[in-house]
Amino acid sequence: MGKKIILLLTVGVLAAYYVYTPLPDNIEEPWKLTWMIAVSKSITNLFMFAEFLGISHLMNTVMFFIALIEVPPTSDENVTVTDTTFNNIPVRVYVPKRQSESLRRGLFFIHGGGWCLGSAAMSSYDFLSRHTANRLDAVVISTNYRLAPKHHFPTQFEDVYAALSSFLSSDVLEQYGVDPTRIGVAGDSAGGNLAAAVAQQLSEDPKIKIKLKTQSLIYPALQNLDMDLPSYRENSHFPILPKSLAARYWSEYFTTDRSLEKALLLNQHVTAESSHLFKFVNWSSLLPEKFKRGHVYNAPSYGSSDLTQKYPGLLDVRAAPLLADDARLRGLPRTYVMTCQYDVLRDDGIMYVTRLRDAGVEVTHTHVEDGYHRAILFLDLKISYRMINHYVDWLMVTL
Ligand SMILES: *[C@@H]1O[C@H](CO)[C@@H](O)[C@H](O)[C@H]1NC(C)=O
Ligand SMILES: *[C@@H]1O[C@H](CO)[C@@H](O)[C@H](O)[C@H]1NC(C)=O
């Protein structure tokens, strides 16, 4: 009996130690977050174990459970919600119910999930789009796109671009009562990556006459060339998006072959032939002093096997918008970038802010000192509403 209790206690303590993560002092509602992290860490490890046993690909397992937190298109007192397709891409449309004397703003939103996960129907995204439509009195299009591991780059990009192109036709805008001079794109994480990428493509696309007024990038992923930025070093073990998971997502965007992920983690996935691109992600020159403090810049290290030849998408601007040259950046609309202190992707966003400003683009940068990846979706925590308000307030005055 005594032995069993001791065994149980030991297992309990070990399990608690295993899932417990010490958080920085300035994190709001630390116990709530610790609990959420512990639950998600345990579940993720279980799923990874299932993958290790060959039962199911990690992303497929997660997607199966995400389907359980999806909600059907349901209108409320303020907003009419419908599912439809644009150019065969499924989208969810939010139209405010109140009468409008004039045409409305339009916001094209792209969900995150590392190009592998998520949908417009997830309850948190559904809330965010509904709330945005109501507060801005805007028509919000929340797009879906095909996901990895079944589909790789450039499918995700092309699906989003196809849906956006359809939205930007005069017929569709007229049908929804949208003002063609007041349209923005927005997205979080991988959705921020896709938003930045489609905004660049659109600015150079002569076939589409209606252009964007704004782009809003919430903790976007913008490059994979340098996976050894200060933000990667500082937050490599921060839960929610540790460096290992970021590398997994990037790798899955291009291939199911896990050797790319290993090369990304070693930061040896490109050869010296790509050396000319490093100036676009040179954190030593692109980050403000505050974010460089305590870090030493290492010259790029090159790998021998050329993965960039095997997966040319790696260095394609449609996957890594930070690799665009200044001429391409110059055509971009007014930009909002939100970054979080405890996020491996922090420096991607900050370097883009510097590069856009250098190219003459007007940028508003909100840095959330106590923020972390995905926080805008954590609707049980106060930080989520703070971030949503920042994001919507900017659109309110700018779009
Ligand atoms: C409808 O809009 C009002 C005013 O913005 C808000 O107070 C209310 O909570 C909204 N209703 C729903 C269901 O979101
Ligand atoms: C990065 O910038 C630093 C100066 O800030 C410079 O010394 C270094 O050569 C640059 N490296 C690359 C690869 O561009």
Side-chain angles (χ1 to χ4, degrees), residues 66-124:
I66 281 180
L68 305 177
I69 52 165
E70 288 184 339
V71 293
T74 312
S75 303
D76 63 28
E77 53 180 310
N78 302 318
V79 184
T80 304
V81 184
T82 46
D83 279 350
T84 181
T85 58
F86 283 180
N87 254 337
N88 294 322
I89 308 298
V91 298
R92 185 165 285 193
V93 183
Y94 302 80
V95 181
K97 277 186 176 166
R98 76 186 90 136
Q99 291 296 324
S100 180
E101 330 252 276
S102 52
L103 293 174
R104 290 194 159 96
R105 298 160 162 133
L107 185 69
F108 186 88
F109 184 83
I110 309 157
H111 72 77
W115 308 280
C116 299
L117 306 171
S119 76
M122 271 170 72
S123 54
S124 47

